[in-house]
Amino acid sequence: METKVIKKVDTIFDVVECNYIQVLEKTLAKTADEIILDIIDSGLKGRGGAGFPTGLKWKFTKNEENAVKYVICNADEGEPGTFKDREILDRVPEKVFTGMAICGYAIGAKEGYIYLRGEYNFLKQDLQMKIDLFNSQLADRDFDFKVFLRSGSGAYICGEESALFDSMEGLRGEPRNKPPYPTVAGYNLKPTAINNVETLVYVTMICRMGPESFKALGTKDSRGSKVFSVSGDTPTPGIYELELGMPLNQFVDEFGDGDTKAVQVGGASGHCVPRKKYNDTIIGFEGIPTGGSMMIFNSTRSMYNVLHDYLEFFTEESCGQCTPCRVGCQQLLKGIEAVKKGDKKPSYLEDLKKLAATMKIASKCGLGQSVSNPFNSIVDNFREEIIY
Amino acid sequence: MSKYLVNLKVNNIPVTVEEGTTILDAARKLNFHIPTLCYHEDLTVAGNCRVCLVEVAGSRSLAASCATPVSEGMEVLTNSKNVRSARKNVVELLLSEHNADCTKCFKNGHCELQTLSSEYQIGQHLFIDLVKTKDKIVDISSPSIAKDDSKCIRCQRCVRTCSELQAVGALAVINKGDHQRISTFLNKPLSEVVCTNCGQCINRCPTGALTERSYIEEVWDAINDPSKHVVVETAPAVRVALGEDLGFEAGERVTGKMVAALRHLGFDSILDTDFTADLTILEEGTELLTRLKKALVDKDEKVSLPMFTSCSPGWIKFIEHMFPEYLPNLSTCKSPQQMFGALAKTYYAQKKNINPKNMVCVSIMPCTAKKFEAGRPELRDSGYQDVDYVLTTRELAMMIKQAGIDFMKLEDMEYDSIMGESTGAAVIFGASGGVMEAALRTAYEIISGRDVPFTNLNIVPVRGMEGVKEAKVMLKDVKPEWGFLEGVEVSIAIAHGLANAKKVVESIKNGTANYHFVEIMGCPGGCIGGGGQPIPTSPEIRQKRADAIYAEDEGLPLRKSHENPEVQYLYKEFLGEPLGHRSHDLLHTHYKPRKRY
Ligand SMILES: Cc1cc2nc3c(=O)[nH]c(=O)nc-3n(C[C@H](O)[C@H](O)[C@H](O)COP(=O)(O)O)c2cc1C
Ligand code: SF4
Ligand code: SF4
Ligand code: SF4
Ligand code: SF4
Ligand code: FES
């Protein structure tokens, strides 16, 4: 397996180098197909968590025949321990708008919506001003595309793409059945390309630098760099853009406090990696993918408490519609409590792991499907801490 | 447009279906049974219970077969190890948050969750009992509907029913995660929201979370009280559905057995709501002709047309909430149930020498909204509450079982007289279009002196399951006294299910439709699909009940309401004439607007 040495990069937040209007003008001189080919060629995968190849998503949306299509920028950022999208929208929003406009041109959409996390409403006024300016710049160039801003409803589940559409349509945000996928029937049941904030910035960067420079970073399966939100027991918490494909031990050397016993990669719905596995864990789509959250725990932390917190979060944030997730989360939470108290035997953890496995294959959306990630990785690696 | 065909394999057996077919339907085509809970034929797909999971080769996760369309070359397993263990887990999870006191549950024996848990032999509980940890929220504020959250599996069938079929939206999902539940606007009790008491949600609830408010015990008490004379009336649609709860196939007509069973149960007078259905036709038909005359001859601009039928209490409450401006368009006729009650405690009591104070009037209805209707303060014109207790078809079946009656072997019996006679026109009140057909049979003959111009009196264009039906009837060669109707083309419409009712009222409101007379029934298919009818319900079952209704009509010697001899006698002896003084006092009423919230 290809591994990288940790490398800090500065493409996202760099404002000097990037004149977004120039990028836009240069890009719009190409055909839609050329742009999509560039994005496919770059190997860019979605930065919102699921890691779907962005260029393919655009191609599917473009291929749908429909007079109305939409671009949506997912800025719901609800994953605990993630705060990178807020930083991007605060510091370089024009790069996001530009990515949306390029997407709109490529797929044939005239409207783009930013779905902004409810808690980020303090960004709204400033963002709206910048959007108005951006829209007028597009209008000046006779480019038929407009960006709109929408406030989120405050529920974690509304970051899930189909629940997000429901929420934008004024319904209760509940994940839909798939298929149909958003590329076929998304917002208002029209073909929709929904991308994470950061994904859209990389689109702008790829269009500026060309796919080759983007591909120069990262590995075969994980091209480019990505923004990480580093938190927990670290002397240097914050936002870092790092090359993908780095091994976890280097990350811990760089950011840990010298006593790191575990890293939760990918937030509450991600995996917990214990010290003994740092060396063979790659951060990237071939190893452990992450939407950007890296939570560092030192030896003072109780992994029971960590898991308990995560399960409480899921028990509350599950939309509640499907059985495996709604009831499963409650059972996992009550289950580890019972084992801790001695009301259930330690072997009950095996039943719970089976339940988590059922949730993974039987839940309707990514939330319920990913609860087994933290559950199994923490129970397997820190079993003693859960029981005693 | 013809659809593409898709080839797939289910449990290794090839099958070809149209594109867009779900895995569930493809499997059913091969007679593989896949359990379902949130799926219902009448509703859009939710895909939330996850008991219909199947394994699709090449996919890491299982697919909800009700919500997943087939694709070319798909290989599906409906009973693999993975499927069985996940499905069992799902049922175990549902039971862990379920208050499973089956022995006390109205749904015992008819419950989809119970069936599934017995199929999967779920005895010892694997998971922690979550019922104790939750508040027990039971809503019995409504006289019609009981809602018990501790029995709810959150399948949302009720929510979809109320919004998709009924356009009421009284029920909604609130909260998320472990607090998610089914509730109402602002969490108010059902009696204080727009709920029409139609009971369609009950018919589609797979568990005992939604049931009718039961008055079986009160009725037993009345029967057992020697000082009471208990009169029972049976609605037209009961006789074609009751059998389903007592061992017969859907579509079996059990009129005579039902009468026999009621006698065994100990009712004192066994009479027929069909009698007052015939009466309704005479009153309502006269009312319509009067309105038409005012509009056409007197050029009275205040007369409200179209006239809407008023027999369906779910529809009445719907219009009170949603379209109060159209209340003047409602026929002033009470529903047949309420005409019956008012006459039972006056006319019948008088003729039979019974003190109405000691009379208890019980009605057997396909409907839960009738329970609410019976309690309306508007409907006490006999000087007493006109109808004392309303039981659903399901409750009657339960009483028959409680009494140990072998229903299937009963010999047919006849209704009592003098409010037990009826015609085929009354029977068809039970199906959508029936009131219209009955009204046309009578009105056409009154106006022209001839039979309606349809073979064998069967007015086929107003029948059937289409949501909104329209027709026009040209009036020609009318009798001299009806001269003002010569050459008038009467325009009619029929809607069933409140979502369709809403469409019709809106098209009238925005001027795209123009009718003289509109029949509206609150429930899909009309009363045969009423909220008090045996469960399950489906388009196929409703069709069979409707077919039975029309067969009953064809088999009767009298098929026009005005030919009912007991109704003729009633006018002669008691009422005088349609819309006369006594009719006005006993058989007509007015309703008042209600707020939406
Ligand atoms: C429970 C849940 C929450 C999610 N929250 C977010 C979010 O806050 N932001 C985001 O970009 N994607 C989120 N996603 C992923 C989106 O559904 C979707 O895959 C993503 O927006 C696609 O963009 P990308 O391809 O650029 O990553 C979430 C998914 C799930 C299942
Ligand atoms: S998995 Fe959880 S969040 Fe997703 S649809 Fe099911 S209940 Fe809702
Ligand atoms: S709803 Fe079904 S499973 Fe629950 S108590 Fe009633 S009969 Fe039993
Ligand atoms: S009884 Fe009818 S109106 Fe009331 S909640 Fe049920 S479906 Fe809705
Ligand atoms: S009340 Fe019945 S139909 Fe409604 S969600 Fe609960 S179980 Fe399903
Ligand atoms: S029946 Fe398919 S998910 Fe409920």
Side-chain angles (χ1 to χ4, degrees):
Chain A
M1 203 186 290
E2 191 182 0
T3 56
K4 290 279 175 176
V5 175
I6 195 161
K7 186 167 161 196
K8 293 188 183 170
V9 202
D10 190 13
T11 55
I12 292 269
F13 294 108
D14 162 54
V15 273
V16 188
E17 290 280 314
C18 182
N19 178 332
Y20 65 91
I21 291 293
Q22 266 176 15
V23 178
L24 201 61
E25 283 177 344
K26 181 175 118 186
T27 311
L28 298 188
K30 299 188 177 187
T31 67
D33 286 327
E34 283 168 347
I35 297 171
I36 290 175
L37 274 180
D38 276 353
I39 303 295
I40 292 176
D41 184 31
S42 75
L44 174 64
K45 289 184 182 168
R47 299 301 196 227
F52 193 81
T54 306
L56 278 183
K57 188 186 281 186
W58 291 17
K59 189 173 151 185
F60 295 153
T61 320
K62 174 175 189 283
N63 287 349
E64 286 300 312
E65 274 180 43
N66 206 314
V68 181
K69 297 182 188 179
Y70 298 106
V71 176
I72 288 177
C73 166
N74 189 342
D76 196 49
E77 194 161 53
E79 190 69 49
T82 322
F83 36 93
K84 53 159 187 107
D85 292 342
R86 180 188 67 196
E87 198 77 6
I88 294 174
L89 284 169
D90 195 25
R91 286 165 59 187
V92 288
E94 291 83 2
K95 290 192 190 176
V96 181
F97 311 155
T98 305
M100 291 173 76
I102 292 170
C103 179
Y105 176 71
I107 67 168
K110 297 187 170 58
E111 290 176 21
Y113 292 85
I114 299 175
Y115 184 87
L116 185 68
R117 177 175 183 176
E119 286 85 341
Y120 293 172
N121 268 344
F122 63 92
L123 291 174
K124 232 176 129 173
Q125 215 181 347
D126 189 48
L127 263 182
Q128 190 59 55
M129 257 167 46
K130 290 176 175 159
I131 289 173
D132 291 343
L133 174 68
F134 183 78
N135 283 342
S136 71
Q137 288 169 325
L138 293 185
D140 291 345
R141 283 162 183 78
D142 285 332
F143 177 53
D144 189 6
F145 188 81
K146 255 181 121 162
V147 177
F148 300 89
L149 189 59
R150 285 291 187 87
S151 275
S153 73
Y156 170 61
I157 195 58
C158 290
E160 194 280 338
E161 51 201 21
S162 61
L164 186 151
F165 303 143
D166 274 2
S167 165
M168 280 181 61
E169 289 169 23
L171 304 169
R172 177 186 159 84
E174 272 187 4
R176 302 174 182 170
N177 292 302
K178 291 172 198 163
Y181 292 96
T183 52
V184 176
Y187 176 48
N188 288 336
L189 298 180
K190 304 290 182 199
T192 303
I194 176 164
N195 299 289
N196 173 254
V197 172
E198 182 188 341
T199 312
L200 289 162
V201 177
Y202 278 115
V203 164
T204 306
M205 302 321 297
I206 291 164
C207 290
R208 184 174 80 82
M209 314 180 295
E212 292 309 321
S213 341
F214 182 79
K215 274 198 310 203
L217 292 180
T219 63
K220 184 165 94 10
D221 292 319
S222 312
R223 295 291 183 202
S225 49
K226 119 156 259 351
V227 185
F228 290 87
S229 315
V230 181
S231 64
D233 299 316
T234 165
T236 50
I239 306 276
Y240 298 91
E241 186 177 357
L242 306 172
E243 188 178 1
L244 282 172
M246 65 186 160
L248 189 57
N249 57 343
Q250 292 196 20
F251 176 86
V252 172
D253 289 348
E254 177 76 24
F255 294 100
D257 62 358
D259 183 27
T260 304
K261 83 166 170 191
V263 181
Q264 178 75 16
V265 182
S269 58
H271 295 259
C272 181
V273 187
R275 187 179 287 142
K276 61 177 187 282
K277 293 188 182 156
Y278 291 166
N279 284 340
D280 12 274
T281 301
I282 302 286
I283 305 303
F285 298 107
E286 65 270 58
I288 300 192
T290 165
S293 163
M294 302 292 278
M295 281 190 259
I296 300 177
F297 300 113
N298 69 19
S299 61
T300 66
R301 302 284 161 185
S302 147
M303 295 314 285
Y304 173 83
N305 287 345
V306 169
L307 180 58
H308 194 269
D309 281 357
Y310 289 163
L311 292 174
E312 268 186 339
F313 173 79
F314 288 125
T315 299
E316 229 171 82
E317 292 300 330
S318 152
C319 80
Q321 69 164 315
C322 80
T323 314
C325 173
R326 176 186 69 251
V327 198
C329 289
Q330 298 174 60
Q331 288 294 351
L332 293 180
L333 177 62
K334 294 259 189 293
I336 62 163
E337 286 174 353
V339 170
K340 191 74 166 179
K341 273 197 270 175
D343 292 346
K344 289 268 185 193
K345 294 202 196 100
S347 63
Y348 189 57
L349 289 175
E350 263 50 63
D351 292 322
L352 294 180
K353 279 178 61 185
K354 253 185 71 187
L355 168 60
T358 295
M359 290 166 70
K360 189 183 185 73
I361 58 173
S363 294
K364 185 165 171 176
C365 88
L367 190 150
Q369 288 163 4
S370 57
V371 177
S372 69
N373 296 341
F375 189 84
N376 287 352
S377 58
I378 294 179
V379 169
D380 284 345
N381 293 305
F382 299 95
R383 197 181 164 89
E384 271 62 45
E385 289 193 38
I386 304 298
I387 300 172
Y388 304 109
Chain B
M1 206 174 69
S2 74
K3 292 201 166 181
Y4 290 108
L5 294 179
V6 176
N7 303 295
L8 71 156
K9 280 186 184 163
V10 180
N11 299 335
N12 297 316
I13 301 177
V15 60
T16 303
V17 293
E18 280 186 354
E19 67 167 338
T21 307
T22 61
I23 296 176
L24 180 68
D25 286 335
R28 283 184 174 176
K29 203 173 160 193
L30 292 173
N31 296 320
F32 287 117
H33 170 70
I34 300 175
T36 54
L37 283 174
C38 66
Y39 171 84
H40 195 284
E41 263 185 276
D42 290 328
L43 305 173
T44 57
V45 169
N48 60 29
C49 75
R50 316 305 280 181
V51 302
C52 70
L53 296 167
V54 295
E55 191 163 339
V56 176
S59 168
R60 269 176 300 147
S61 51
L62 302 177
S65 59
C66 71
T68 311
V70 296
S71 57
E72 185 63 36
M74 201 178 229
E75 292 184 23
V76 176
L77 296 176
T78 67
N79 187 34
S80 67
K81 181 163 174 285
N82 273 342
V83 168
R84 260 199 323 277
S85 92
R87 205 178 272 158
K88 188 164 179 203
N89 256 190
V90 169
V91 179
E92 281 165 329
L93 287 173
L94 283 173
L95 290 174
S96 79
E97 62 167 7
H98 188 80
N99 174 22
D101 61 350
C102 301
T103 51
K104 285 182 266 169
C105 184
F106 196 83
K107 272 296 189 64
N108 196 358
H110 302 266
C111 169
E112 295 179 41
L113 180 64
Q114 194 185 44
T115 307
L116 199 55
S117 71
S118 78
E119 268 171 24
Y120 276 78
Q121 288 289 306
I122 299 188
Q124 201 93 54
H125 286 302
L126 174 61
F127 296 123
I128 293 168
D129 182 1
L130 299 172
V131 182
K132 301 194 283 282
T133 65
K134 308 212 166 163
D135 297 337
K136 192 162 162 31
I137 306 174
V138 183
D139 182 353
I140 50 165
S141 63
S142 152
S144 299
I145 318 270
K147 180 168 170 291
D148 179 351
D149 260 13
S150 69
K151 306 264 174 74
C152 171
I153 57 165
R154 277 88 166 148
C155 67
Q156 302 187 26
R157 280 196 200 170
C158 55
V159 177
R160 282 174 282 150
T161 301
C162 195
S163 67
E164 293 169 12
L165 300 180
Q166 299 301 70
V168 174
L171 298 173
V173 182
I174 63 161
N175 303 338
K176 55 187 165 54
D178 49 341
H179 295 293
Q180 188 244 31
R181 58 186 209 91
I182 312 301
S183 187
T184 54
F185 182 68
L186 292 179
N187 232 338
K188 288 190 186 178
L190 265 177
S191 61
E192 291 173 27
V193 296
V194 289
C195 169
T196 65
N197 303 301
C198 71
Q200 288 304 311
C201 52
I202 298 178
N203 282 5
R204 289 168 186 77
C205 177
T207 70
L210 283 166
T211 54
E212 59 262 58
R213 290 287 308 283
S214 176
Y215 301 94
I216 292 179
E217 289 310 319
E218 286 83 345
V219 172
W220 279 129
D221 284 349
I223 291 175
N224 293 334
D225 183 344
S227 70
K228 299 288 183 203
H229 184 99
V230 188
V231 172
V232 66
E233 53 163 321
T234 61
V238 176
R239 65 206 68 193
V240 295
L242 178 67
E244 290 166 39
D245 269 353
L246 295 163
F248 286 103
E249 291 291 312
E252 186 79 24
R253 293 184 270 148
V254 297
T255 318
K257 288 189 182 349
M258 174 177 70
V259 174
L262 290 167
R263 231 177 263 300
H264 286 298
L265 291 178
F267 287 101
D268 297 304
S269 298
I270 296 155
L271 303 174
D272 203 349
T273 317
D274 286 19
F275 169 79
T276 37
D278 278 331
L279 182 61
T280 301
I281 289 303
L282 294 175
E283 293 288 325
E284 197 165 278
T286 312
E287 184 184 1
L288 177 66
L289 293 174
T290 312
R291 288 199 196 196
L292 287 175
K293 179 155 186 285
K294 278 190 188 154
L296 297 172
V297 182
D298 312 340
K299 306 285 178 209
D300 178 351
E301 300 203 335
K302 284 201 298 281
V303 60
S304 297
L305 285 173
M307 187 172 91
F308 293 128
T309 58
S310 57
C311 357
S312 168
W315 153 240
I316 301 288
K317 191 152 184 275
F318 183 78
I319 190 171
E320 287 177 330
H321 282 294
M322 307 290 187
F323 298 102
E325 69 275 29
Y326 280 95
L327 281 171
N329 293 61
L330 272 184
S331 158
T332 58
C333 288
K334 291 181 185 175
S335 70
Q337 160 174 289
Q338 294 303 140
M339 287 196 184
F340 185 98
L343 288 175
K345 291 193 179 177
T346 53
Y347 169 68
Y348 191 78
Q350 204 177 310
K351 288 279 169 196
K352 300 280 169 172
N353 226 343
I354 306 162
N355 184 345
K357 206 173 83 187
N358 295 329
M359 196 183 241
V360 176
C361 181
V362 176
S363 77
I364 312 294
M365 292 286 142
C367 179
T368 49
K370 293 274 175 201
K371 292 176 189 266
F372 170 82
E373 182 185 45
R376 274 182 182 267
E378 295 96 331
L379 302 174
R380 310 174 64 93
D381 291 324
S382 63
Y384 306 89
Q385 176 166 330
D386 293 340
V387 174
D388 296 282
Y389 302 111
V390 178
L391 302 180
T392 60
T393 310
R394 297 186 288 263
E395 285 173 281
L396 175 59
M398 195 164 280
M399 283 183 79
I400 293 171
K401 286 185 199 161
Q402 286 176 359
I405 296 167
D406 188 349
F407 187 77
M408 295 182 90
K409 300 221 180 81
L410 286 178
E411 294 286 341
D412 287 0
M413 288 191 188
E414 297 278 337
Y415 283 101
D416 292 327
S417 183
I418 46 172
M419 285 169 59
E421 178 83 52
S422 72
T423 70
V427 173
I428 58 175
F429 263 59
S432 164
V435 176
M436 184 60 75
E437 180 164 349
L440 288 175
R441 285 182 192 170
T442 290
Y444 194 91
E445 189 169 325
I446 290 178
I447 296 164
S448 69
R450 301 183 305 271
D451 275 350
V452 279
F454 291 90
T455 317
N456 210 6
L457 297 177
N458 294 333
I459 310 181
V460 178
V462 305
R463 299 183 181 182
M465 294 298 174
E466 213 175 307
V468 178
K469 292 167 276 190
E470 293 178 316
K472 289 192 160 57
V473 183
M474 179 59 95
L475 301 176
K476 274 227 181 88
D477 303 327
V478 302
K479 288 188 183 168
E481 62 266 41
W482 299 102
F484 70 95
L485 287 173
E486 180 67 35
V488 170
E489 194 177 43
V490 180
S491 175
I492 58 175
I494 296 137
H496 55 112
L498 293 171
N500 293 317
K502 185 177 172 196
K503 274 189 221 156
V504 168
V505 182
E506 275 174 351
S507 68
I508 293 167
K509 204 170 165 173
N510 65 29
T512 50
N514 220 333
Y515 307 112
H516 296 102
F517 188 35
V518 180
E519 177 204 295
I520 293 184
M521 293 295 155
C523 295
C527 306
I528 47 140
Q533 293 282 54
I535 299 171
T537 185
S538 68
E540 192 191 337
I541 291 172
R542 294 193 292 276
Q543 186 60 56
K544 285 188 177 155
R545 293 177 190 160
D547 293 346
I549 284 264
Y550 290 113
E552 183 99 352
D553 166 38
E554 288 245 39
L556 286 174
L558 299 176
R559 295 180 61 213
K560 299 175 215 158
S561 295
H562 56 279
E563 290 176 351
N564 183 329
E566 288 189 352
V567 170
Q568 291 168 350
Y569 182 73
L570 169 72
Y571 276 114
K572 192 161 131 264
E573 290 286 303
F574 188 72
L575 289 176
E577 54 175 6
L579 294 189
H581 258 297
R582 254 205 172 132
S583 287
H584 186 83
D585 289 347
L586 290 174
L587 309 182
H588 292 260
T589 191
H590 289 280
Y591 298 105
K592 291 196 260 330
R594 287 173 200 263
K595 295 215 173 70
R596 282 205 193 187
Y597 18 78

